[in-house]
Amino acid sequence: MSSPARFDRGHTDDLMTFLTASPSPYHAVANAAERLEKAGFRQLSETDAWDAGTGGRFVLRGGALIAWYVPEGAAAHTPFRIVGAHTDSPNLRVKPLPDTGSQGWRQIAVEIYGGTLLNTWLDRDLGLAGRLTLLDGTDRLVNVDRALLRVPQLAVHLDRAVNSDGLKLDKQRHMQPIWGLGEVQEGDLIAFLEEEEGLAQGSVAGWDLMVHSIEPPAYLGRDRELLAGPRMDNLLSVHAGVAALAAVATAGGLDHIPVLAAFDHEENGSQSDTGADGPLLGNVLERSVFSRGGTYEDRARAFAGTVCLSSDTGHAVHPNYAERHDPSHHPRANGGPILKVNVNQRYATDGSGRAVFAAACERAGVPWQTFVSNNSMPCGTTIGPITAARHGIQTVDIGVAILSMHSARELCGADDPFLLANALVAFLQG
């Protein structure tokens, strides 16, 4: 299928707004929930009994969100159509004892989260965001979205071989951001955040905090045909999934239950109560079946007919490193979403899954591409194989092709987010 003509960038503009407002997984799910509520969805508590009513619902847990829409006349054994994604991105995260420093510099102690490209965090103006847990057990989102931190690189005069031998960074010694001058004072960072949020001193009992680049997303290139921005792996897919679910919820005529599953902790293996390898999705789907009077037999029938599109970013062919890619599979920016294939099950796609994805793209009028790794290079993975294995449901791995994956600032075609969202709408509509 040939590429469509250029179109309005409203979806991509909105993605840029979403990325800026979502510097942490907790902000991402809060923003997604707000959008779903505007589309008529309502939040359910996991500790309450669930009713058998129709309409849109969602559950929030930490940095994860599961949302679904039950159409009129849905039986207990009605299958699901799931868009899977993840809310976390590789970054630097604050340690339990954050206040540190050396040689008159005040610093923040951080851990490396996920497989981040360390050098991309150097010499950037960084903010701080995440959640604070108060003494009463409630959570407070916090976002210091201004130049607060910086990881300074060693000057070339003190590392003369850096351009010939390459930059060598020690995760412990070289990645601790500075945030001021003076003597280290224990409790400074949390006291600063309490003041920022108007909280009483000593009211914060715990925290999940991470740094982020404060540089906003931007169109790039002579014709503004590219998009540069943070956390596109994988908030690009979360944003598209929210838009698609909200669109199909009001369309009517569904013979299945559309679902968005946005997990946390994909970047470090998905093994958590909010990750794809945890019980959250299975619990929500089962409770949906049982709340409509279903039995285990109904649950088995529903799962047997369920399909999941696991949407995560993939690799566009790199113009400076084309030899690292498979010679006959070169996904290109603005070429449409990619179907991700790996016979060793690093991706869950098989031939029947390819047919599901191709049919959705055909209905949407969206071009699509195929990604497979060069045999000499290791292949990454995502939530697709985990979802397939844990729940026994057919899963297809797809996404948008990007450059600079796991950088503090990534790059994609500016049309591709819209093309992905349209493919997801067609898939959820069935």
Side-chain angles (χ1 to χ4, degrees):
M1 181 184 298
S2 59
S3 296
R6 294 177 64 84
F7 41 75
D8 179 71
R9 289 279 173 76
H11 178 89
T12 304
D13 291 342
D14 190 61
L15 169 61
M16 295 164 71
T17 299
F18 186 78
L19 292 173
T20 300
S22 304
S24 78
Y26 315 109
H27 289 83
V29 298
N31 290 322
E34 181 179 1
R35 289 162 179 254
L36 290 170
E37 285 179 334
K38 289 180 180 177
F41 285 67
R42 62 185 176 92
Q43 183 175 356
L44 298 183
S45 170
E46 292 186 82
T47 59
D48 291 341
W50 292 0
D51 61 49
T54 58
R57 294 95 180 275
F58 65 89
V59 166
L60 293 178
R61 184 193 289 184
L65 174 146
I66 311 293
W68 66 103
Y69 182 84
V70 181
E72 293 285 347
H77 62 268
T78 299
F80 303 92
R81 285 216 158 195
I82 305 168
V83 171
H86 67 87
T87 61
D88 60 319
S89 302
N91 57 19
L92 312 179
R93 302 207 172 187
V94 175
K95 288 185 175 181
L97 299 176
D99 300 292
T100 187
S102 179
Q103 308 302 319
W105 296 95
R106 295 164 64 198
Q107 295 174 275
I108 302 301
V110 296
E111 284 188 274
I112 310 303
Y113 179 83
T116 188
L117 284 168
L118 297 178
N119 65 292
T120 67
W121 293 95
L122 302 179
D123 297 333
R124 287 185 183 272
D125 295 336
L126 304 173
L128 190 67
R131 66 178 179 181
L132 304 173
T133 301
L134 308 186
L135 289 171
D136 62 6
T138 61
D139 290 329
R140 175 78 69 93
L141 294 183
V142 60
N143 180 14
V144 183
D145 194 29
R146 64 177 187 271
L148 181 69
L149 306 164
R150 186 179 179 92
V151 184
Q153 186 171 345
L154 185 63
V156 68
H157 313 80
L158 304 178
D159 189 7
R160 294 288 186 179
V162 65
N163 290 324
S164 57
D165 296 347
L167 179 65
K168 298 177 176 61
L169 294 171
D170 182 280
K171 294 179 180 179
Q172 180 62 39
R173 293 187 295 122
H174 300 150
M175 297 305 297
Q176 310 307 311
I178 61 172
W179 76 311
L181 299 171
E183 296 299 317
V184 176
Q185 298 291 329
E186 185 176 349
D188 259 6
L189 177 65
I190 301 307
F192 163 75
L193 294 175
E194 288 171 338
E195 183 178 358
E196 283 282 305
E197 290 299 304
L199 298 169
Q201 185 176 0
S203 60
V204 172
W207 51 88
D208 300 281
L209 300 167
M210 57 207 71
V211 308
H212 65 275
S213 172
I214 64 170
E215 185 180 4
Y219 288 109
L220 185 144
R222 185 194 67 180
D223 298 321
R224 293 164 53 88
E225 58 196 335
L226 300 171
L227 174 67
R231 299 177 294 281
M232 287 195 281
D233 179 12
N234 186 34
L235 294 187
L236 188 158
S237 294
V238 174
H239 175 262
V242 171
L245 181 61
V248 302
T250 57
L254 297 172
D255 60 0
H256 54 271
I257 297 171
V259 179
L260 170 64
F263 300 104
D264 200 354
H265 300 134
E266 188 272 348
E267 297 293 356
N268 61 9
S270 296
Q271 291 185 322
S272 71
D273 69 323
T274 54
D277 204 17
L280 181 58
L281 176 61
N283 286 348
V284 168
L285 298 184
E286 288 179 351
R287 290 185 69 176
S288 176
V289 170
F290 298 150
S291 70
R292 284 175 278 123
T295 63
Y296 182 82
E297 180 72 10
D298 292 313
R299 180 261 187 213
R301 292 175 65 189
F303 277 43
T306 292
V307 184
C308 173
L309 285 191
S310 163
S311 182
D312 199 353
T313 54
H315 301 294
V317 60
H318 197 299
N320 300 334
Y321 301 91
E323 73 280 359
R324 304 290 181 97
H325 299 263
D326 183 85
S328 58
H329 295 79
H330 280 180
R332 299 179 183 275
N334 287 335
I338 55 174
L339 180 73
K340 300 158 75 172
V341 179
N342 181 266
V343 295
N344 294 303
Q345 292 301 295
R346 302 292 285 173
Y347 302 128
T349 306
D350 61 11
S352 61
R354 175 189 173 97
V356 170
F357 179 64
C361 290
E362 183 67 28
R363 291 194 299 274
V366 167
W368 60 279
Q369 311 174 82
T370 304
F371 171 83
V372 65
S373 289
N374 185 308
N375 286 330
S376 299
M377 302 291 294
C379 181
T381 190
T382 182
I383 64 168
I386 295 171
T387 303
R390 182 169 184 85
H391 306 293
I393 58 180
Q394 182 182 21
T395 304
V396 188
D397 277 299
I398 67 163
V400 162
I402 70 172
L403 293 182
S404 306
M405 186 184 293
H406 288 194
S407 170
R409 194 167 178 84
E410 297 161 323
L411 183 72
C412 75
D415 293 341
D416 281 332
F418 177 81
L419 295 173
L420 173 66
N422 277 271
L424 296 184
V425 168
F427 166 73
L428 290 177
Q429 286 176 331

